[in-house]
Amino acid sequence: MTFFVTIGDLLIKYWPNFLKGAGVTMLLALAGTISGFLIGMIIQCVRTIPEKEKGFGRIALKIIKGVLTAYVELFRGTPMMVQACLIYFGAPILFGWQLNKLIAGYLVITINTGAYMAEIVRGGFDSIDVGQRDGATALGMNHVKTMIYIIIPQTMRRILPAAGNELVANIKDTTVLNVIGVIELFSNVKDVINFTFKSFEPFVIAALIYFVLTFTVTRLLKLLEKGLEGKAHYELIEETETQPEKLAIGQSGGTLTVRGLRKSFGKNDVLKGVDFHVASGEVVSIIGSSGSGKSTLLRCINLLSKPDEGEILLDNMNAARLKEPTAYRAKVAMVFQQFNLFENLNVLENCIIGQTKVLGATKEDAEKNALYYLRAVGMERFLKAYPRQLSGGQKQRVAIARALAMSPEIILFDEPTSALDPEMVGEVLKVMRTLADSGMTMVVVTHEMSFAKEAADRVIFMDAGIIAEEGTPDELFNHPKNERTKEFLQRILADHSFDLANSV
């Protein structure tokens, strides 16, 4: 009982000391953590800047990245107490600066935290699926816009628990600033001990205060984390119009010519000199076994992968020579196998961002355009839904609407139905057939032979990185000339018959 009475007496008599110390501790920890977070974010953003193939810029960027890496390793590898002494006592010796103790403490926490935050942010960046970057790049967004609008917002949500732990650690680690004479909570507790000659009770009070501070911060961060997650449920929008049978395309289809396209990954030659032409309004389906180079071909056409050799002519403009291909990508839309919708944006925002950030459209015009195409693909009711709340078929229809909203000249489809359940395939193929009937120039890599037969004007069969055969659907499916084409079709048809038998 005497113990608790002593605790009460100390709190009543020395509460200004405890309160002032707690305030300084919280101020240093919070300010230093926020500043350190900004430093860590900047460091990691610089680390992600793509390096040029050659030139002074490439060398300069490598040097900058090397310096930043050295900073991170140095301040993660040395104790904060040593850093405090080096900064506070070293500043007058090296620069003639006599730092204020609070400013020195702030700098110590900031610099130390920045090194740890850089690694936390790196982990957050690395956790973002590469498809998010591909989706943004395919829309024509450059690296900076991709980071600002897609990667960083998603990273913030993922690293918040780790960043919160860093703040909690800093609240406790301000005690090491005693070494340079900063008067924070721990220092004030030692003063109380000197005044009262009691050692145990003041430390108990300090422990309780630290616990209250960290507990409060933790709960506030959990509320912030929950807010960043967004609502678990979304509101369905009332349908206003029926889906149009024929889509109004933003501009007439472009012509695409590929000549001598080659692409290797190390010693693996994936494309070995591909040549083909797609006329305006034509639908070309590309079929072939896995590993034949179909998806790589599409990625090269969109310049997501840079071809080693060859020409990619869009209306006679050679895109393969472009140094800045963002405007070209806006004309050559791409729909991915794994959808690549932006996880931090809802359905409507996914269809708006490319228009506003790449094409420079106003938000009002972008919304109007997006609503038309979302209505056309049957997704108008899901405007407020996020990708995680949609089925595979719904995601793919939104991805098609996002591509159409950019008013492209050509749309590339990379196996758009292979990631879907069989019952969802039909709804996506229906949209694609409507699109084909509307006059859009389309290049479709697909395993859906029915679509290739019914909707394509021409079918290309790829094998081992080359075009082995091409022709009309009737020519290729009913009268194939190449032996490899015959083997592929026989196997596909046999597998299809087996699937049908099992389904019955």
Side-chain angles (χ1 to χ4, degrees):
M1 191 67 177
T2 305
F3 170 75
F4 294 105
V5 171
T6 303
I7 293 286
D9 290 341
L10 290 175
L11 283 172
I12 292 172
K13 188 172 182 179
Y14 296 102
W15 68 265
N17 299 66
F18 292 118
L19 185 61
K20 181 180 179 181
V24 172
T25 289
M26 198 63 210
L27 176 63
L28 288 174
L30 189 59
T33 302
I34 292 174
S35 301
F37 173 79
L38 293 175
I39 290 174
M41 180 64 73
I42 291 171
I43 288 174
Q44 193 52 36
C45 285
V46 171
R47 283 172 162 180
T48 64
I49 296 175
E51 294 182 1
K52 296 181 179 180
E53 293 184 2
K54 55 185 178 179
F56 176 77
R58 184 173 189 269
I59 297 173
L61 185 58
K62 276 186 170 294
I63 292 173
I64 292 171
K65 288 182 178 181
V67 170
L68 294 178
T69 298
Y71 157 74
V72 171
E73 295 300 328
L74 176 63
F75 283 92
R76 287 176 67 232
T78 54
M80 186 187 288
M81 183 178 291
V82 174
Q83 295 167 15
C85 292
L86 289 174
I87 290 173
Y88 183 70
F89 298 114
I93 297 173
L94 296 176
F95 308 106
W97 302 338
Q98 185 60 56
L99 296 177
N100 176 277
K101 292 178 180 180
L102 278 179
I103 293 176
Y106 163 74
L107 290 175
V108 170
I109 295 176
T110 295
I111 295 172
N112 181 273
T113 301
Y116 284 94
M117 284 294 186
E119 291 301 287
I120 291 173
V121 175
R122 182 179 66 83
F125 281 4
D126 290 346
S127 72
I128 305 298
D129 188 90
V130 68
Q132 296 291 293
R133 292 178 175 85
D134 285 348
T137 303
L139 283 178
M141 296 175 69
N142 60 25
H143 175 73
V144 173
K145 290 179 180 178
T146 299
M147 295 302 297
I148 292 174
Y149 299 110
I150 306 301
I151 304 302
I152 291 177
Q154 293 185 43
T155 299
M156 291 289 290
R157 164 63 185 85
R158 299 192 181 196
I159 69 172
L160 190 58
N165 285 340
E166 191 66 20
L167 173 57
V168 169
N170 282 340
I171 291 174
K172 296 178 290 184
D173 288 347
T174 53
T175 56
V176 305
L177 299 178
N178 274 277
V179 71
I180 60 174
V182 175
I183 309 300
E184 41 68 66
L185 177 58
F186 186 69
S187 180
N188 279 347
V189 168
K190 290 196 299 183
D191 288 341
V192 172
I193 292 173
N194 293 332
F195 295 151
T196 63
F197 301 103
K198 295 182 181 295
S199 57
F200 182 63
E201 292 85 349
F203 281 127
V204 171
I205 294 173
L208 290 173
I209 294 174
Y210 279 120
F211 174 76
V212 169
L213 292 176
T214 56
F215 181 84
T216 303
V217 165
T218 301
R219 290 301 173 270
L220 290 175
L221 288 172
K222 283 187 178 295
L223 289 176
L224 178 59
E225 187 177 337
K226 188 174 181 181
L228 291 176
E229 285 180 355
K231 295 181 179 179
H233 304 286
Y234 56 89
E235 176 186 352
L236 284 174
I237 307 300
E238 185 177 351
E239 290 182 312
T240 56
E241 296 182 27
T242 57
Q243 299 176 34
E245 294 184 2
K246 191 170 183 178
L247 290 173
I249 304 301
Q251 56 181 297
S252 59
T255 61
L256 176 71
T257 302
V258 174
R259 295 176 184 161
L261 201 65
R262 295 180 178 273
K263 179 64 180 178
S264 299
F265 296 97
K267 296 182 179 180
N268 182 22
D269 295 328
V270 180
L271 300 178
K272 304 173 183 178
V274 176
D275 300 89
F276 71 97
H277 176 77
V278 184
S280 177
E282 187 179 20
V283 178
V284 174
S285 287
I286 302 177
I287 62 175
S289 303
S290 296
S292 59
K294 306 184 302 297
S295 294
T296 300
L297 174 59
L298 289 195
R299 291 180 66 85
C300 284
I301 293 173
N302 189 265
L303 300 182
L304 286 173
S305 293
K306 186 176 181 180
D308 299 326
E309 296 180 25
E311 296 181 331
I312 303 169
L313 303 176
L314 176 64
D315 299 329
N316 297 318
M317 176 191 69
N318 189 1
R321 296 179 182 175
L322 293 174
K323 293 183 178 180
E324 181 50 67
T326 52
Y328 163 79
R329 291 192 180 111
K331 298 178 182 179
V332 183
M334 189 162 179
V335 177
F336 297 87
Q337 178 180 353
Q338 297 297 336
F339 326 122
N340 293 355
L341 296 179
F342 306 131
E343 298 294 334
N344 59 307
L345 304 177
N346 63 30
V347 166
L348 182 60
E349 291 166 341
N350 260 278
C351 295
I352 286 176
I353 189 166
Q355 299 181 68
T356 56
K357 305 306 178 185
V358 178
L359 302 181
T362 64
K363 186 177 180 181
E364 292 73 18
D365 290 341
E367 283 189 6
K368 183 178 179 181
N369 196 37
L371 284 170
Y372 172 79
Y373 289 113
L374 286 169
R375 184 180 302 120
V377 300
M379 291 300 295
E380 181 190 15
R381 301 188 68 201
F382 299 88
L383 299 181
K384 296 183 179 181
Y386 284 83
R388 65 179 181 274
Q389 299 167 324
L390 302 176
S391 69
Q394 290 171 331
K395 289 179 184 178
Q396 198 61 291
R397 284 186 282 160
V398 172
I400 293 172
R402 181 177 70 179
L404 288 169
M406 296 294 289
S407 299
E409 295 184 24
I410 297 173
I411 298 185
L412 311 175
F413 290 85
D414 185 12
E415 299 185 14
T417 60
S418 62
L420 304 180
D421 293 334
E423 61 184 13
M424 297 178 181
V425 170
E427 63 186 42
V428 174
L429 290 180
K430 180 181 177 182
V431 172
M432 292 176 65
R433 288 189 178 97
T434 302
L435 187 56
D437 293 339
S438 302
M440 171 60 71
T441 306
M442 299 166 59
V443 180
V444 185
V445 168
T446 183
H447 287 129
E448 293 295 331
M449 297 299 110
S450 60
F451 177 84
K453 287 180 181 180
E454 298 169 15
D457 299 304
R458 191 154 44 91
V459 180
I460 291 174
F461 171 67
M462 286 192 67
D463 181 52
I466 62 171
I467 294 177
E469 187 171 354
E470 64 178 299
T472 65
D474 178 65
E475 291 171 342
L476 197 129
F477 285 105
N478 299 325
H479 310 286
K481 298 176 181 179
N482 187 287
E483 287 299 320
R484 185 68 188 89
T485 310
K486 293 178 182 179
E487 293 175 8
F488 172 79
L489 291 175
Q490 287 173 355
R491 187 177 72 251
I492 289 293
L493 292 175
D495 292 344
H496 183 62
S497 299
F498 179 78
D499 292 339
L500 286 176
N502 282 344
S503 66
V504 175

